[in-house]
Amino acid sequence: GVSADDLKTVAYEFTNHGKRAVADIHRGVSQHTNGFYNVYAWYTLNALIGNYDWAGGLVKATTYKADGTGAGQPFSIDTVYAKLAPFGTTIIRSEKYENSTLFMRDGYPARRNWYPLATDVYQEIAPSIGDAYPYPVKALFLYMGSPVYSLPAGHTNIETLSDPEKLPLFIAMDAFIGETSMYADYIFPDTMYLERWEFQGSHPNVAHKIQPLRNPAIDPLVPDVTVFGQQTPMSMEALLLGLAEALELPGFGENGFGEGQPFTHPDDLYIRMTANLAWGEKEDGSDSVPDADEEEIRIFTESRRHLRSSVFDLERWQAIAGDLWPKVVYVLNRGGRFQNYSGGYRETANGTQLGNRYGKLINIYQEKTYDTRNSMNGERLAGYARYIPSGMGLLGDLVSEQDAQDGFDLQLITYREIAQTKSRTASNYWLLGVLPENFVLMNVVDATARGLNDGDSVRIVSPTNLAGEWDLGNGHTVPMIGKIKAVQGIRPGVIAVSLGFGHWAYGSVPFTINGTTVPADERRGRGLHINAALRTDPHTPNTTLVDPVGGSAVFYDTMVRVEKV
């Protein structure tokens, strides 16, 4: 349905500005069953006009190091003790299937897909544990994430997470009782973003070299615990240090970072990292940040006088940083380290290049990809960008096309509202005041044809969720019912529902803890959450549709129908 003239216009614009044009993509392009080759195609366009490393072209992320690997950096963050070497394959099978003993036993197709070109296939973790493939798991630690809520078809994780036969021990580190941590055997409270440290790194839309750095601005709303004889706020860091103390692990304790260099408190790590960041990455320290002067240090200290000593202890921080303390203050006062603007670009005889260049070979044809086989049929992967239909199952069946023929006549897509961007932003009541709930967006033509008006309630059903509900595995269900909003700005045949609403935990229902009932706040449960409607793969019905090469979970290839309630 796309106009050929529109394609010509876009192609003309893209190719008639030299290197000052870019195909910039993120997530939506990849979150289809053909996502890897979608991304490959767009990046091939960038290569064809030669825009890598040029102003106006494609940028790589460039981040200041804080881990001690920069030349001359004062603190090695890697423990001085020998590390345990990993062995075997990962639970998501990030190696070639043909190199495994399971291939010798099972051949093609594999029981579950293998991902030798991917490293982080989030949606595979719980289902793989449930299937005990490639091996059973005894314990799972979950930090910050909420796969039940966040993943397409995340409801399929519930069966594994709630079954002690499949997962004997489940420990979550969470600031809330969330849609996933509610199934944990133990929840260790964690800190929120204004209460903790974080080195965020960069993103490939930033041309300059940066390293944003967050440090506590308020006292954490959690109690202190004693670890290695010191008080520290209950948190993920406290849990890990506590385990290290109990297990007497090397690399922790009074000589954790080497003789006379303790690792007994989170500050021992984070102040060292900040000092490395402040020093720079040159042996002679010529790119170190300036020292903060006495007035700046005074402001820094006074501005933290409200923090308890387990969070900010001036003497402890100074002792860790040593002579670099004024530079540490300089970095923390500025929220990180940021390259001067002039360093982001450099003029050459041929035009303006990026100052932080990728500077490596760009392959339009990838030998590594061609040398990898599909674990379902043994065929080599294409080493170049190619067209593959979307909505395809692991065994090659066009499931979306078949679902449409079976009467599921609307394509469901998801998106994020700017006022509700994450699974945890429903606690922000200022945002909820702007947008208290989400809607089922539908083209006016589709709404009229179905006799639907704004505000009408509809249930969303899909081929793998005919009930149109979340089954929580505890005797409760949550219907996927929302209100219609008819608009012109969406393609006919498509409906869209934003994510971030429709909670059934996270404070939206009452919880009883140690005999005390925490009342519900119904504002957090308004709207609907439709991830349970997103289709699962026929070969692995406990997992969403997936891009078998890059491993992306698929948010956009599900056909559904709506039923008026």
Side-chain angles (χ1 to χ4, degrees):
V2 178
S3 164
D5 287 340
D6 288 344
L7 289 175
K8 291 178 182 178
T9 298
V10 173
Y12 178 85
E13 284 295 314
F14 185 72
T15 55
N16 277 271
H17 299 279
K19 303 178 191 301
R20 303 180 71 88
V22 66
D24 183 28
I25 56 176
H26 184 62
R27 294 203 176 182
V29 171
S30 66
Q31 290 173 330
H32 296 265
T33 59
N34 57 2
F36 177 85
Y37 287 103
N38 285 346
V39 173
Y40 203 162
W42 287 111
Y43 278 92
T44 298
L45 290 180
N46 289 318
L48 289 173
I49 66 169
N51 68 11
Y52 288 82
D53 288 348
W54 292 88
L58 202 66
V59 174
K60 80 173 183 73
T62 308
T63 307
Y64 283 104
K65 294 179 180 179
D67 61 0
T69 61
Q73 288 189 334
F75 298 111
S76 174
I77 301 306
D78 278 345
T79 176
V80 297
Y81 298 93
K83 300 176 183 177
L84 291 174
F87 60 92
T89 187
T90 64
I91 192 69
I92 64 168
R93 304 165 301 283
S94 50
E95 67 174 54
K96 292 181 179 180
Y97 177 46
E98 296 75 19
N99 294 343
S100 72
T101 56
L102 290 172
F103 172 70
M104 298 171 61
R105 184 190 73 185
D106 299 335
Y108 299 113
R111 185 178 173 190
R112 299 188 67 87
N113 196 53
W114 290 59
Y115 300 92
L117 299 178
T119 58
D120 181 14
V121 187
Y122 195 49
Q123 73 277 4
E124 274 288 330
I125 297 171
S128 297
I129 293 172
D131 288 351
Y133 185 83
Y135 41 72
V137 166
K138 292 183 178 180
L140 173 67
F141 282 71
L142 177 71
Y143 172 59
M144 196 180 290
S146 184
V148 169
Y149 184 90
S150 300
L151 283 174
H155 64 296
T156 59
N157 284 208
I158 293 173
E159 181 183 357
T160 295
L161 299 178
S162 60
D163 186 347
E165 295 296 320
K166 295 181 177 180
L167 182 60
L169 179 62
F170 177 23
I171 295 174
M173 293 157 274
D174 201 337
F176 305 91
I177 300 177
E179 280 75 16
T180 303
S181 56
M182 64 183 281
Y183 297 101
D185 298 292
Y186 301 96
I187 302 178
F188 284 82
D190 195 23
T191 50
M192 288 289 287
Y193 76 101
L194 289 175
E195 306 166 352
R196 65 172 177 241
W197 290 80
E198 187 171 349
F199 293 74
Q200 291 101 332
S202 187
H203 193 274
N205 63 353
V206 179
H208 294 77
K209 189 174 185 178
I210 65 171
Q211 178 57 269
L213 170 54
R214 178 185 295 144
N215 62 104
I218 61 174
D219 263 346
L221 300 178
V222 292
D224 286 344
V225 293
T226 302
V227 184
F228 285 112
Q230 297 201 60
Q231 294 290 291
T232 186
M234 189 177 289
S235 59
M236 180 269 290
E237 292 91 336
L239 172 60
L240 297 182
L241 286 169
L243 290 172
E245 182 181 25
L247 296 172
E248 299 181 352
L249 295 180
F252 298 88
E254 291 304 319
N255 299 304
F257 286 117
E259 189 66 31
Q261 296 190 59
F263 189 7
T264 59
H265 190 282
D267 292 349
D268 290 324
L269 173 65
Y270 295 134
I271 296 299
R272 282 178 168 85
M273 292 178 67
T274 307
N276 286 337
L277 181 61
W279 175 264
E281 298 171 14
K282 293 185 178 181
E283 186 74 39
D284 60 0
S286 59
D287 64 340
S288 294
V289 301
D291 289 351
D293 60 26
E294 291 185 5
E295 176 63 8
E296 185 173 340
I297 293 175
R298 184 194 68 79
I299 294 171
F300 172 87
T301 305
E302 286 294 310
S303 67
R304 286 160 176 77
R305 66 185 183 274
H306 61 290
L307 297 174
R308 61 186 191 250
S309 61
S310 62
V311 178
F312 172 66
D313 184 308
L314 180 60
E315 292 184 2
R316 182 172 69 237
W317 286 25
Q318 286 177 322
I320 297 169
D323 293 341
L324 292 174
W325 175 242
K327 296 184 186 298
V328 167
V329 171
Y330 184 93
V331 168
L332 291 178
N333 268 350
R334 287 155 180 78
R337 183 164 182 178
F338 307 89
Q339 184 180 26
N340 289 334
Y341 182 81
S342 60
Y345 303 93
R346 67 189 192 105
E347 297 300 327
T348 73
N350 296 318
T352 306
Q353 281 191 324
L354 299 180
N356 303 297
R357 291 174 296 161
Y358 179 66
K360 299 178 182 178
L361 179 68
I362 303 294
N363 292 304
I364 291 179
Y365 172 78
Q366 297 178 356
E367 189 74 33
K368 177 181 177 180
T369 302
Y370 175 75
D371 194 41
T372 303
R373 295 182 183 272
N374 184 311
S375 61
M376 295 293 111
N377 56 28
E379 295 179 359
R380 290 183 180 273
L381 301 178
Y384 50 87
R386 55 167 295 192
Y387 171 72
I388 297 175
S390 64
M392 184 180 291
L394 286 172
L395 297 183
D397 39 342
L398 292 171
V399 292
S400 295
E401 184 177 305
Q402 182 59 53
D403 292 342
Q405 295 173 6
D406 291 341
F408 296 92
D409 55 351
L410 294 167
Q411 185 164 356
L412 173 62
I413 65 173
T414 65
Y415 68 103
R416 300 282 188 180
E417 292 277 3
I418 195 171
Q420 203 65 226
T421 58
K422 296 288 184 181
S423 65
R424 287 182 168 87
T425 43
S427 61
N428 190 315
Y429 297 124
W430 290 270
L431 294 178
L432 288 181
V434 174
L435 188 66
E437 61 182 330
N438 59 348
F439 301 91
V440 179
L441 301 186
M442 176 182 285
N443 188 277
V444 173
V445 171
D446 290 327
T448 301
R450 291 164 175 78
L452 297 172
N453 298 305
D454 277 3
D456 285 349
S457 292
V458 295
R459 182 189 302 270
I460 297 178
V461 300
S462 69
T464 52
N465 194 328
L466 295 173
E469 64 186 17
W470 290 81
D471 184 347
L472 305 186
N474 58 4
H476 295 276
T477 59
V478 178
M480 288 183 287
I481 296 176
K483 298 175 182 176
I484 287 288
K485 179 178 281 189
V487 298
Q488 296 286 357
I490 190 170
R491 183 185 176 97
V494 179
I495 62 171
V497 180
S498 66
L499 303 179
F501 293 88
H503 285 276
W504 59 89
Y506 194 72
S508 65
V509 297
F511 276 92
T512 300
I513 305 172
N514 295 334
T516 300
T517 298
V518 180
D521 189 331
E522 57 86 21
R523 288 176 292 182
R524 301 189 183 195
R526 290 182 187 173
L528 77 158
H529 187 49
I530 49 75
N531 276 2
L534 297 175
R535 206 192 198 290
T536 61
D537 192 279
H539 184 62
T540 50
N542 61 355
T543 314
T544 180
L545 290 174
V546 66
D547 165 20
V549 182
S552 290
V554 173
F555 280 87
Y556 302 106
D557 294 342
T558 296
M559 302 301 297
V560 300
R561 62 173 181 260
V562 298
E563 300 173 349
K564 189 173 182 179
V565 178

